[in-house]
Amino acid sequence: MIFYLCDMEKILIFDFGSQYTQLIARRVRELNVYCEIHPFHKIPMIDETVKGIILSGSPFSVRDENSPKPDLTLFRKKLPLLGICYGAQYLAQSNGGEVLPSKIREYGRANLTYVESSHPLMKNIPLKSQVWMSHGDTIKKLPENTKIIASTKDVEIAGYEFVGEKTYAIQFHPEVYHSTDGLQILKNFIVDTCNCKQNWTPNSFVESTVENLKAQLGNDKVVLGLSGGVDSTVAAVLLNKAIGTNLYCIFVDNGLLRKNEFENVLEQYKHLGLNVKGVNAKDKFYNSLDGLSDPEQKRKAIGKTFIEVFDEESNRISDVKWLAQGTIYPDVIESVSATGGPSSTIKSHHNVGGLPDYMKLKIVEPLRLLFKDEVRRVGKTLGLNDNLLGRHPFPGPGLAIRILGDITSEKVQILQEVDYIFIEGLKKSNLYDKVWQAGAILLPIQSVGVMGDERTYERVVALRAVESTDGMTADWCHLPYEFLAKISNEIINKVKGVNRVVYDISSKPPATIEWE
Ligand code: XMP
């Protein structure tokens, strides 16, 4: 694993499996301080770049036999420590305090009824400040040599400190937006107590990453598969800054992109000064999909064909040594299993669908330290336009998973026209940026209609628009009726072969965003 900024000052977050752990990291980064998440049972070597440690919450109870119990004596009193929720309970219980089940599970908003405003962690935190609680256990008795620094009506020990050391603990979640002064609490800890310099900025990232890439890659050639998405584009622009024409970008037209997408995006890439080759492989993809209607089989065929095309193209570049990928931080964080004790699963991610071993390329991933919102900020610093940075996510298999059943070039063309009207309509009505992802689906049914005096028997399309933050859950967008009416009318009038439009009002879960 390569950490380009291992010499960057940082906060470490020890993860006990909380659903909010990534949110803690994003809040710390918002304060322009670099941080890393590590599973509690795989704590790395601590060097002088580590300025403080945060202990996360957890789905476990400290009273469970198999709950996380790392040895904190290595860090206590040497580094500032902040325990959140489970972290606070673990600090209490492992030092002679007592943690018991709460009479009721405390979940939701609460207000601070006591704040020790002179305490460093509580600087600028007003009385009655709203905090977010999410816990089934509560600290009943504190260890010796501790002092309460915050309380709520129901939770007397909402915050405490170990007197004479920089070890603090809070029962509520400062990382959650509902904790209205949560960011201030994190700032008090990270900036004032840990003395972090707040120099993790998009500019500093670009500068140091470009230097590191230069040192790492020297005169080697690198190949990168562009997808039209934000991550691969930002990765390419960074690499281009570091190694210029030694970066060979490949952008494949699989015949399943949006209308005019291939030409438009290729043009934008060229404007960015990238050494990019557009490869028209439509026929190859259509041939590989011939006769397939099962979604997983379609995905596999597309993945396999992509590898063949990419392999063929990279073989044309003599002596290429590296494969660049747009992998980002959430793809590489080892997640702590909430059900299986200290077991962990590593999520793997391959922008190019996983390349065969025989390609023998070393992997370079310039964005593996960044969250998605940071990739966008870096992209902005690199001069990418909002049009490119604000694009909706688009699945790798493209329109193939939005044409239910088998694929033909005629169906692709119909769907491209429908999708184009929908997406352009969203843009014209200033709705595009309010929607996380939108697209159209071609259904495998026909329905009766009437046009003029004629009965028609034509295709049905569905429109889908969702709000989401990461695609894991999603709500259907309540687009204005007038907008939907206008788009439906335009589609039926302009796209030959379609006589009915429906709007998908399912949320995820239980539905998924894509229909296949
Ligand atoms: P679902 O349909 O699982 O989609 O709710 C969640 C997000 O993932 C995208 N998606 C894919 N992206 N290859 C991709 O690169 C795929 O096979 C794939 N399937 C779904 C989807 O567009 C949404 O953003």
Side-chain angles (χ1 to χ4, degrees), residues 374-386:
E374 293 178 306
V375 175
R376 291 212 171 87
R377 284 167 62 198
V378 165
K380 215 166 170 69
T381 297
L382 289 167
L384 303 192
N385 65 31
D386 290 343

Side-chain angles (χ1 to χ4, degrees), residues 241-310:
K241 249 177 130 61
I243 60 167
T245 49
N246 267 345
L247 173 68
Y248 291 78
C249 300
I250 296 171
F251 182 37
V252 177
D253 186 355
N254 57 12
L256 303 160
L257 302 173
R258 296 193 139 117
K259 184 179 168 182
N260 301 336
E261 181 96 340
F262 184 67
E263 297 74 18
N264 290 347
V265 174
L266 196 57
E267 196 52 40
Q268 291 196 43
Y269 284 146
K270 288 187 176 152
H271 268 298
L272 289 170
L274 297 178
N275 173 17
V276 56
K277 179 172 181 194
V279 181
N280 179 347
K282 281 183 190 177
D283 291 341
K284 244 191 181 126
F285 280 88
Y286 289 158
N287 285 341
S288 77
L289 286 165
D290 192 29
L292 299 184
S293 53
D294 175 75
E296 286 317 300
Q297 281 186 0
K298 290 198 282 184
R299 275 194 172 80
K300 283 207 181 95
I302 292 165
K304 186 165 164 283
T305 310
F306 185 87
I307 290 168
E308 283 166 15
V309 174
F310 194 81

Side-chain angles (χ1 to χ4, degrees), residues 417-426 487 490-491 494-495:
E417 293 302 326
V418 173
D419 178 82
Y420 184 78
I421 292 171
F422 185 33
I423 298 295
E424 289 306 301
L426 285 168
I487 294 298
E490 198 175 333
I491 289 171
K494 287 194 179 156
V495 186

